[in-house]
Amino acid sequence: MTSDEIIAATRRWLERSVIGLNLCPFAEGVYRGGRVRMRVSECRSASGLLAELRSELTALHAADPGQCETTLLIHPWVLADFVEYNDFLEVCEAAIVDLRLEGELQVASFHPRYQFEGTESEDIENYTNRSPYPMLHLLREASIERAIAAVPDIDEIYRRNIRTLRGLGFEGWQRLWRE
């Protein structure tokens, strides 16, 4: 697997799932505007990924939002186990605090085996956060606040996503990935 192949799979997932199914109504403008940085990590350890995460957080914070609004740190060779990945999210939060970026940046989570609390592993609603590879989505708090202000009921997005995936079903989900 090359970085280009990993990024191509990630773009396909964004275009067909996140944007195509409108799972995140805020993603299309940022993506089509070329303001999503995609970084493929070569790390093979959580400690290496943490160092890279810290670097990416710092770079995103320093970047002009008109040029780089958000970052996808894709890490296909580390934290493939969802439980380990989920535990690592606490480390991500601690890094944000340590870098004094609390209130500026946050990390959203996507993983091939994503599972929401209170669901079964193969429940279709988990697919809203299932990406081709483990990744950390670095977001600007200001972007999130603008997005939230533009939507009357932010929780409706989550409810609509569940309805969309339940209506699509597993067969429909699989159809998205056929060429």
Side-chain angles (χ1 to χ4, degrees):
M1 252 185 324
T2 68
S3 289
D4 287 343
E5 291 169 329
I6 292 165
I7 288 175
T10 301
R11 286 186 182 284
R12 186 172 168 217
W13 168 72
L14 283 168
E15 291 167 2
R16 293 184 184 186
S17 174
V18 176
I19 294 169
L21 296 176
N22 198 31
L23 298 179
C24 177
F26 319 113
E28 185 170 15
V30 174
Y31 178 74
R32 303 273 185 233
R35 297 188 317 272
V36 178
R37 174 178 156 86
M38 293 188 205
R39 173 90 162 90
V40 177
S41 173
E42 296 295 328
C43 291
R44 302 297 204 268
S45 70
S47 61
L49 181 60
L50 175 58
E52 203 162 6
L53 170 67
R54 293 172 64 89
S55 176
E56 289 297 325
L57 286 165
T58 301
L60 180 60
H61 185 256
D64 175 356
Q67 300 298 312
C68 182
E69 182 72 26
T70 190
T71 300
L72 295 176
L73 179 55
I74 309 159
H75 48 93
W77 295 282
V78 65
L79 302 175
D81 178 84
F82 180 68
V83 173
E84 290 175 8
Y85 170 87
N86 203 41
D87 290 345
F88 187 77
L89 296 175
E90 290 179 27
V91 174
C92 296
E93 292 303 315
I96 289 171
V97 170
D98 186 53
L99 291 169
R100 298 184 179 162
L101 296 174
E102 221 173 3
E104 299 288 325
L105 300 177
Q106 68 175 255
V107 176
S109 54
F110 296 94
H111 192 279
R113 301 297 306 154
Y114 198 94
Q115 183 175 347
F116 288 104
E117 186 176 342
T119 65
E120 296 298 319
S121 171
E122 291 306 315
D123 286 351
I124 192 72
E125 53 263 36
N126 292 318
Y127 285 73
T128 63
N129 285 54
R130 287 202 177 169
S131 55
Y133 304 99
M135 68 179 73
L136 300 169
H137 183 188
L138 316 184
L139 297 144
R140 297 175 188 272
E141 293 269 347
S143 301
I144 295 166
E145 289 169 8
R146 279 192 308 276
I148 288 171
V151 176
D153 179 7
I154 197 73
D155 292 333
E156 179 54 27
I157 294 170
Y158 172 74
R159 291 188 298 268
R160 184 191 67 230
N161 288 349
I162 291 172
R163 287 191 306 270
T164 296
L165 286 176
R166 286 181 179 163
L168 192 65
F170 289 106
E171 186 175 318
W173 179 261
Q174 292 303 316
R175 231 182 353 261
L176 288 175
W177 312 112
R178 294 185 194 126
E179 301 278 36

